[in-house]
PDB file of all heavy atoms in Angstrom:
ATOM      1  N   ILE A  18       3.441   8.965   3.139  1.00 96.00           N
ATOM      2  CA  ILE A  18       2.378   8.132   3.713  1.00 96.00           C
ATOM      3  C   ILE A  18       1.137   8.977   3.984  1.00 96.00           C
ATOM      4  O   ILE A  18       0.012   8.564   3.665  1.00 96.00           O
ATOM      5  CB  ILE A  18       2.868   7.427   4.992  1.00 96.00           C
ATOM      6  CG1 ILE A  18       3.916   6.364   4.629  1.00 96.00           C
ATOM      7  CG2 ILE A  18       1.695   6.797   5.750  1.00 96.00           C
ATOM      8  CD1 ILE A  18       4.620   5.758   5.823  1.00 96.00           C
ATOM      9  N   ARG A  19       1.335  10.167   4.547  1.00 96.00           N
ATOM     10  CA  ARG A  19       0.183  11.065   4.778  1.00 96.00           C
ATOM     11  C   ARG A  19      -0.510  11.393   3.459  1.00 96.00           C
ATOM     12  O   ARG A  19      -1.741  11.363   3.376  1.00 96.00           O
ATOM     13  CB  ARG A  19       0.643  12.360   5.463  1.00 96.00           C
ATOM     14  CG  ARG A  19       0.743  12.279   6.958  1.00 96.00           C
ATOM     15  CD  ARG A  19       0.879  13.653   7.606  1.00 96.00           C
ATOM     16  NE  ARG A  19       1.858  14.528   6.977  1.00 96.00           N
ATOM     17  CZ  ARG A  19       3.169  14.538   7.241  1.00 96.00           C
ATOM     18  NH1 ARG A  19       3.662  13.708   8.127  1.00 96.00           N
ATOM     19  NH2 ARG A  19       3.976  15.374   6.627  1.00 96.00           N
ATOM     20  N   THR A  20       0.275  11.710   2.447  1.00 95.00           N
ATOM     21  CA  THR A  20      -0.286  12.039   1.133  1.00 95.00           C
ATOM     22  C   THR A  20      -1.055  10.852   0.568  1.00 95.00           C
ATOM     23  O   THR A  20      -2.141  11.018   0.003  1.00 95.00           O
ATOM     24  CB  THR A  20       0.834  12.461   0.163  1.00 95.00           C
ATOM     25  OG1 THR A  20       1.508  13.592   0.697  1.00 95.00           O
ATOM     26  CG2 THR A  20       0.285  12.786  -1.218  1.00 95.00           C
ATOM     27  N   LEU A  21      -0.506   9.657   0.715  1.00 96.00           N
ATOM     28  CA  LEU A  21      -1.163   8.456   0.198  1.00 96.00           C
ATOM     29  C   LEU A  21      -2.566   8.315   0.775  1.00 96.00           C
ATOM     30  O   LEU A  21      -3.534   8.103   0.042  1.00 96.00           O
ATOM     31  CB  LEU A  21      -0.323   7.212   0.538  1.00 96.00           C
ATOM     32  CG  LEU A  21      -0.911   5.868   0.101  1.00 96.00           C
ATOM     33  CD1 LEU A  21      -0.951   5.772  -1.423  1.00 96.00           C
ATOM     34  CD2 LEU A  21      -0.100   4.729   0.689  1.00 96.00           C
ATOM     35  N   PHE A  22      -2.692   8.459   2.088  1.00 95.00           N
ATOM     36  CA  PHE A  22      -4.003   8.262   2.710  1.00 95.00           C
ATOM     37  C   PHE A  22      -4.916   9.471   2.536  1.00 95.00           C
ATOM     38  O   PHE A  22      -6.135   9.336   2.566  1.00 95.00           O
ATOM     39  CB  PHE A  22      -3.845   7.905   4.187  1.00 95.00           C
ATOM     40  CG  PHE A  22      -3.276   6.533   4.367  1.00 95.00           C
ATOM     41  CD1 PHE A  22      -2.012   6.355   4.883  1.00 95.00           C
ATOM     42  CD2 PHE A  22      -3.997   5.419   3.984  1.00 95.00           C
ATOM     43  CE1 PHE A  22      -1.476   5.090   5.037  1.00 95.00           C
ATOM     44  CE2 PHE A  22      -3.478   4.140   4.127  1.00 95.00           C
ATOM     45  CZ  PHE A  22      -2.214   3.986   4.649  1.00 95.00           C
ATOM     46  N   LYS A  23      -4.336  10.634   2.333  1.00 94.00           N
ATOM     47  CA  LYS A  23      -5.138  11.844   2.163  1.00 94.00           C
ATOM     48  C   LYS A  23      -5.708  11.957   0.748  1.00 94.00           C
ATOM     49  O   LYS A  23      -6.826  12.419   0.552  1.00 94.00           O
ATOM     50  CB  LYS A  23      -4.258  13.061   2.470  1.00 94.00           C
ATOM     51  CG  LYS A  23      -4.992  14.349   2.646  1.00 94.00           C
ATOM     52  CD  LYS A  23      -4.021  15.435   3.097  1.00 94.00           C
ATOM     53  CE  LYS A  23      -4.733  16.727   3.367  1.00 94.00           C
ATOM     54  NZ  LYS A  23      -3.803  17.778   3.765  1.00 94.00           N
ATOM     55  N   LYS A  24      -4.943  11.515  -0.247  1.00 92.00           N
ATOM     56  CA  LYS A  24      -5.336  11.752  -1.636  1.00 92.00           C
ATOM     57  C   LYS A  24      -5.704  10.493  -2.415  1.00 92.00           C
ATOM     58  O   LYS A  24      -6.052  10.592  -3.584  1.00 92.00           O
ATOM     59  CB  LYS A  24      -4.190  12.471  -2.361  1.00 92.00           C
ATOM     60  CG  LYS A  24      -3.934  13.854  -1.811  1.00 92.00           C
ATOM     61  CD  LYS A  24      -3.000  14.635  -2.688  1.00 92.00           C
ATOM     62  CE  LYS A  24      -2.871  16.053  -2.160  1.00 92.00           C
ATOM     63  NZ  LYS A  24      -2.060  16.879  -3.029  1.00 92.00           N
ATOM     64  N   THR A  25      -5.629   9.328  -1.789  1.00 93.00           N
ATOM     65  CA  THR A  25      -5.905   8.088  -2.507  1.00 93.00           C
ATOM     66  C   THR A  25      -7.030   7.334  -1.813  1.00 93.00           C
ATOM     67  O   THR A  25      -6.801   6.661  -0.801  1.00 93.00           O
ATOM     68  CB  THR A  25      -4.631   7.213  -2.573  1.00 93.00           C
ATOM     69  OG1 THR A  25      -3.550   7.993  -3.064  1.00 93.00           O
ATOM     70  CG2 THR A  25      -4.837   6.017  -3.476  1.00 93.00           C
ATOM     71  N   PRO A  26      -8.244   7.424  -2.343  1.00 94.00           N
ATOM     72  CA  PRO A  26      -9.384   6.749  -1.698  1.00 94.00           C
ATOM     73  C   PRO A  26      -9.176   5.244  -1.536  1.00 94.00           C
ATOM     74  O   PRO A  26      -9.578   4.670  -0.525  1.00 94.00           O
ATOM     75  CB  PRO A  26     -10.554   7.045  -2.643  1.00 94.00           C
ATOM     76  CG  PRO A  26     -10.149   8.264  -3.399  1.00 94.00           C
ATOM     77  CD  PRO A  26      -8.651   8.196  -3.514  1.00 94.00           C
ATOM     78  N   ASN A  27      -8.538   4.603  -2.511  1.00 95.00           N
ATOM     79  CA  ASN A  27      -8.321   3.155  -2.403  1.00 95.00           C
ATOM     80  C   ASN A  27      -7.429   2.809  -1.222  1.00 95.00           C
ATOM     81  O   ASN A  27      -7.583   1.749  -0.615  1.00 95.00           O
ATOM     82  CB  ASN A  27      -7.720   2.597  -3.694  1.00 95.00           C
ATOM     83  CG  ASN A  27      -8.737   2.544  -4.808  1.00 95.00           C
ATOM     84  OD1 ASN A  27      -9.934   2.679  -4.587  1.00 95.00           O
ATOM     85  ND2 ASN A  27      -8.270   2.356  -6.022  1.00 95.00           N
ATOM     86  N   ALA A  28      -6.492   3.685  -0.883  1.00 96.00           N
ATOM     87  CA  ALA A  28      -5.611   3.424   0.260  1.00 96.00           C
ATOM     88  C   ALA A  28      -6.417   3.401   1.561  1.00 96.00           C
ATOM     89  O   ALA A  28      -6.099   2.628   2.470  1.00 96.00           O
ATOM     90  CB  ALA A  28      -4.494   4.465   0.327  1.00 96.00           C
ATOM     91  N   LEU A  29      -7.442   4.221   1.642  1.00 95.00           N
ATOM     92  CA  LEU A  29      -8.296   4.207   2.839  1.00 95.00           C
ATOM     93  C   LEU A  29      -9.091   2.910   2.931  1.00 95.00           C
ATOM     94  O   LEU A  29      -9.263   2.352   4.015  1.00 95.00           O
ATOM     95  CB  LEU A  29      -9.233   5.412   2.844  1.00 95.00           C
ATOM     96  CG  LEU A  29      -8.554   6.765   3.049  1.00 95.00           C
ATOM     97  CD1 LEU A  29      -9.557   7.900   2.912  1.00 95.00           C
ATOM     98  CD2 LEU A  29      -7.860   6.812   4.397  1.00 95.00           C
ATOM     99  N   ILE A  30      -9.557   2.406   1.798  1.00 96.00           N
ATOM    100  CA  ILE A  30     -10.257   1.120   1.771  1.00 96.00           C
ATOM    101  C   ILE A  30      -9.299   0.015   2.199  1.00 96.00           C
ATOM    102  O   ILE A  30      -9.646  -0.856   3.009  1.00 96.00           O
ATOM    103  CB  ILE A  30     -10.838   0.845   0.368  1.00 96.00           C
ATOM    104  CG1 ILE A  30     -11.928   1.868   0.034  1.00 96.00           C
ATOM    105  CG2 ILE A  30     -11.369  -0.591   0.267  1.00 96.00           C
ATOM    106  CD1 ILE A  30     -12.345   1.870  -1.425  1.00 96.00           C
ATOM    107  N   GLN A  31      -8.076   0.073   1.677  1.00 96.00           N
ATOM    108  CA  GLN A  31      -7.073  -0.922   2.037  1.00 96.00           C
ATOM    109  C   GLN A  31      -6.690  -0.813   3.512  1.00 96.00           C
ATOM    110  O   GLN A  31      -6.443  -1.830   4.173  1.00 96.00           O
ATOM    111  CB  GLN A  31      -5.840  -0.771   1.135  1.00 96.00           C
ATOM    112  CG  GLN A  31      -6.153  -1.122  -0.303  1.00 96.00           C
ATOM    113  CD  GLN A  31      -5.241  -0.451  -1.307  1.00 96.00           C
ATOM    114  OE1 GLN A  31      -4.423   0.392  -0.966  1.00 96.00           O
ATOM    115  NE2 GLN A  31      -5.390  -0.819  -2.567  1.00 96.00           N
ATOM    116  N   LEU A  32      -6.649   0.402   4.042  1.00 96.00           N
ATOM    117  CA  LEU A  32      -6.366   0.588   5.459  1.00 96.00           C
ATOM    118  C   LEU A  32      -7.462  -0.046   6.314  1.00 96.00           C
ATOM    119  O   LEU A  32      -7.178  -0.715   7.313  1.00 96.00           O
ATOM    120  CB  LEU A  32      -6.223   2.079   5.792  1.00 96.00           C
ATOM    121  CG  LEU A  32      -5.931   2.421   7.250  1.00 96.00           C
ATOM    122  CD1 LEU A  32      -4.604   1.818   7.699  1.00 96.00           C
ATOM    123  CD2 LEU A  32      -5.919   3.938   7.437  1.00 96.00           C
ATOM    124  N   PHE A  33      -8.718   0.146   5.922  1.00 96.00           N
ATOM    125  CA  PHE A  33      -9.834  -0.468   6.637  1.00 96.00           C
ATOM    126  C   PHE A  33      -9.690  -1.989   6.625  1.00 96.00           C
ATOM    127  O   PHE A  33      -9.862  -2.648   7.668  1.00 96.00           O
ATOM    128  CB  PHE A  33     -11.172  -0.047   6.008  1.00 96.00           C
ATOM    129  CG  PHE A  33     -12.354  -0.751   6.603  1.00 96.00           C
ATOM    130  CD1 PHE A  33     -12.870  -0.350   7.828  1.00 96.00           C
ATOM    131  CD2 PHE A  33     -12.947  -1.821   5.947  1.00 96.00           C
ATOM    132  CE1 PHE A  33     -13.963  -1.012   8.389  1.00 96.00           C
ATOM    133  CE2 PHE A  33     -14.031  -2.482   6.497  1.00 96.00           C
ATOM    134  CZ  PHE A  33     -14.536  -2.073   7.717  1.00 96.00           C
ATOM    135  N   ALA A  34      -9.366  -2.555   5.463  1.00 97.00           N
ATOM    136  CA  ALA A  34      -9.197  -4.011   5.347  1.00 97.00           C
ATOM    137  C   ALA A  34      -8.018  -4.484   6.199  1.00 97.00           C
ATOM    138  O   ALA A  34      -8.102  -5.542   6.849  1.00 97.00           O
ATOM    139  CB  ALA A  34      -8.987  -4.402   3.885  1.00 97.00           C
ATOM    140  N   ALA A  35      -6.944  -3.720   6.227  1.00 97.00           N
ATOM    141  CA  ALA A  35      -5.771  -4.092   7.017  1.00 97.00           C
ATOM    142  C   ALA A  35      -6.097  -4.072   8.508  1.00 97.00           C
ATOM    143  O   ALA A  35      -5.724  -4.999   9.248  1.00 97.00           O
ATOM    144  CB  ALA A  35      -4.610  -3.147   6.714  1.00 97.00           C
ATOM    145  N   VAL A  36      -6.788  -3.041   8.949  1.00 97.00           N
ATOM    146  CA  VAL A  36      -7.170  -2.958  10.361  1.00 97.00           C
ATOM    147  C   VAL A  36      -8.105  -4.116  10.717  1.00 97.00           C
ATOM    148  O   VAL A  36      -7.954  -4.754  11.771  1.00 97.00           O
ATOM    149  CB  VAL A  36      -7.823  -1.588  10.682  1.00 97.00           C
ATOM    150  CG1 VAL A  36      -8.475  -1.584  12.051  1.00 97.00           C
ATOM    151  CG2 VAL A  36      -6.786  -0.474  10.574  1.00 97.00           C
ATOM    152  N   ALA A  37      -9.043  -4.421   9.832  1.00 97.00           N
ATOM    153  CA  ALA A  37      -9.955  -5.541  10.065  1.00 97.00           C
ATOM    154  C   ALA A  37      -9.178  -6.857  10.166  1.00 97.00           C
ATOM    155  O   ALA A  37      -9.471  -7.693  11.039  1.00 97.00           O
ATOM    156  CB  ALA A  37     -10.997  -5.627   8.946  1.00 97.00           C
ATOM    157  N   ALA A  38      -8.177  -7.046   9.312  1.00 97.00           N
ATOM    158  CA  ALA A  38      -7.366  -8.268   9.345  1.00 97.00           C
ATOM    159  C   ALA A  38      -6.577  -8.363  10.653  1.00 97.00           C
ATOM    160  O   ALA A  38      -6.485  -9.440  11.254  1.00 97.00           O
ATOM    161  CB  ALA A  38      -6.418  -8.309   8.145  1.00 97.00           C
ATOM    162  N   VAL A  39      -6.031  -7.248  11.106  1.00 98.00           N
ATOM    163  CA  VAL A  39      -5.268  -7.253  12.356  1.00 98.00           C
ATOM    164  C   VAL A  39      -6.183  -7.545  13.544  1.00 98.00           C
ATOM    165  O   VAL A  39      -5.854  -8.364  14.415  1.00 98.00           O
ATOM    166  CB  VAL A  39      -4.501  -5.922  12.531  1.00 98.00           C
ATOM    167  CG1 VAL A  39      -3.907  -5.803  13.916  1.00 98.00           C
ATOM    168  CG2 VAL A  39      -3.398  -5.810  11.466  1.00 98.00           C
ATOM    169  N   VAL A  40      -7.331  -6.897  13.582  1.00 98.00           N
ATOM    170  CA  VAL A  40      -8.284  -7.140  14.673  1.00 98.00           C
ATOM    171  C   VAL A  40      -8.720  -8.603  14.671  1.00 98.00           C
ATOM    172  O   VAL A  40      -8.738  -9.270  15.709  1.00 98.00           O
ATOM    173  CB  VAL A  40      -9.493  -6.182  14.570  1.00 98.00           C
ATOM    174  CG1 VAL A  40     -10.619  -6.606  15.511  1.00 98.00           C
ATOM    175  CG2 VAL A  40      -9.060  -4.751  14.849  1.00 98.00           C
ATOM    176  N   LEU A  41      -9.047  -9.110  13.483  1.00 97.00           N
ATOM    177  CA  LEU A  41      -9.466 -10.506  13.365  1.00 97.00           C
ATOM    178  C   LEU A  41      -8.334 -11.444  13.768  1.00 97.00           C
ATOM    179  O   LEU A  41      -8.574 -12.467  14.425  1.00 97.00           O
ATOM    180  CB  LEU A  41      -9.905 -10.780  11.925  1.00 97.00           C
ATOM    181  CG  LEU A  41     -10.850 -11.940  11.667  1.00 97.00           C
ATOM    182  CD1 LEU A  41     -12.101 -11.845  12.526  1.00 97.00           C
ATOM    183  CD2 LEU A  41     -11.222 -11.972  10.195  1.00 97.00           C
ATOM    184  N   GLY A  42      -7.108 -11.079  13.418  1.00 97.00           N
ATOM    185  CA  GLY A  42      -5.954 -11.885  13.800  1.00 97.00           C
ATOM    186  C   GLY A  42      -5.821 -12.014  15.302  1.00 97.00           C
ATOM    187  O   GLY A  42      -5.538 -13.103  15.824  1.00 97.00           O
ATOM    188  N   PHE A  43      -6.024 -10.912  16.017  1.00 97.00           N
ATOM    189  CA  PHE A  43      -5.972 -10.962  17.480  1.00 97.00           C
ATOM    190  C   PHE A  43      -7.154 -11.757  18.046  1.00 97.00           C
ATOM    191  O   PHE A  43      -6.995 -12.552  18.975  1.00 97.00           O
ATOM    192  CB  PHE A  43      -5.947  -9.557  18.082  1.00 97.00           C
ATOM    193  CG  PHE A  43      -4.593  -8.914  18.024  1.00 97.00           C
ATOM    194  CD1 PHE A  43      -4.385  -7.785  17.247  1.00 97.00           C
ATOM    195  CD2 PHE A  43      -3.527  -9.436  18.745  1.00 97.00           C
ATOM    196  CE1 PHE A  43      -3.140  -7.184  17.193  1.00 97.00           C
ATOM    197  CE2 PHE A  43      -2.272  -8.845  18.698  1.00 97.00           C
ATOM    198  CZ  PHE A  43      -2.074  -7.717  17.923  1.00 97.00           C
ATOM    199  N   MET A  44      -8.327 -11.533  17.487  1.00 97.00           N
ATOM    200  CA  MET A  44      -9.511 -12.234  17.985  1.00 97.00           C
ATOM    201  C   MET A  44      -9.403 -13.747  17.787  1.00 97.00           C
ATOM    202  O   MET A  44      -9.812 -14.521  18.658  1.00 97.00           O
ATOM    203  CB  MET A  44     -10.771 -11.706  17.286  1.00 97.00           C
ATOM    204  CG  MET A  44     -11.185 -10.320  17.711  1.00 97.00           C
ATOM    205  SD  MET A  44     -12.573  -9.665  16.742  1.00 97.00           S
ATOM    206  CE  MET A  44     -13.785 -10.942  16.909  1.00 97.00           C
ATOM    207  N   LEU A  45      -8.865 -14.154  16.649  1.00 97.00           N
ATOM    208  CA  LEU A  45      -8.788 -15.581  16.324  1.00 97.00           C
ATOM    209  C   LEU A  45      -7.462 -16.213  16.735  1.00 97.00           C
ATOM    210  O   LEU A  45      -7.257 -17.407  16.517  1.00 97.00           O
ATOM    211  CB  LEU A  45      -9.033 -15.789  14.820  1.00 97.00           C
ATOM    212  CG  LEU A  45     -10.404 -15.349  14.319  1.00 97.00           C
ATOM    213  CD1 LEU A  45     -10.493 -15.494  12.811  1.00 97.00           C
ATOM    214  CD2 LEU A  45     -11.508 -16.140  15.003  1.00 97.00           C
ATOM    215  N   ARG A  46      -6.589 -15.407  17.316  1.00 97.00           N
ATOM    216  CA  ARG A  46      -5.280 -15.882  17.801  1.00 97.00           C
ATOM    217  C   ARG A  46      -4.528 -16.678  16.741  1.00 97.00           C
ATOM    218  O   ARG A  46      -4.209 -17.856  16.934  1.00 97.00           O
ATOM    219  CB  ARG A  46      -5.458 -16.689  19.070  1.00 97.00           C
ATOM    220  CG  ARG A  46      -6.029 -15.848  20.168  1.00 97.00           C
ATOM    221  CD  ARG A  46      -6.093 -16.568  21.467  1.00 97.00           C
ATOM    222  NE  ARG A  46      -6.572 -15.606  22.462  1.00 97.00           N
ATOM    223  CZ  ARG A  46      -7.149 -15.936  23.565  1.00 97.00           C
ATOM    224  NH1 ARG A  46      -7.328 -17.190  23.873  1.00 97.00           N
ATOM    225  NH2 ARG A  46      -7.548 -15.008  24.410  1.00 97.00           N
TER     226      ARG A  46
END
Side-chain angles (χ1 to χ4, degrees):
I18 291 171
R19 275 193 313 275
T20 301
L21 178 66
F22 290 112
K23 193 174 183 181
K24 295 191 175 184
T25 309
N27 287 346
L29 291 175
I30 295 167
Q31 293 155 353
L32 180 62
F33 174 78
V36 168
V39 170
V40 168
L41 203 54
F43 281 115
M44 288 174 54
L45 298 175
R46 297 186 176 157

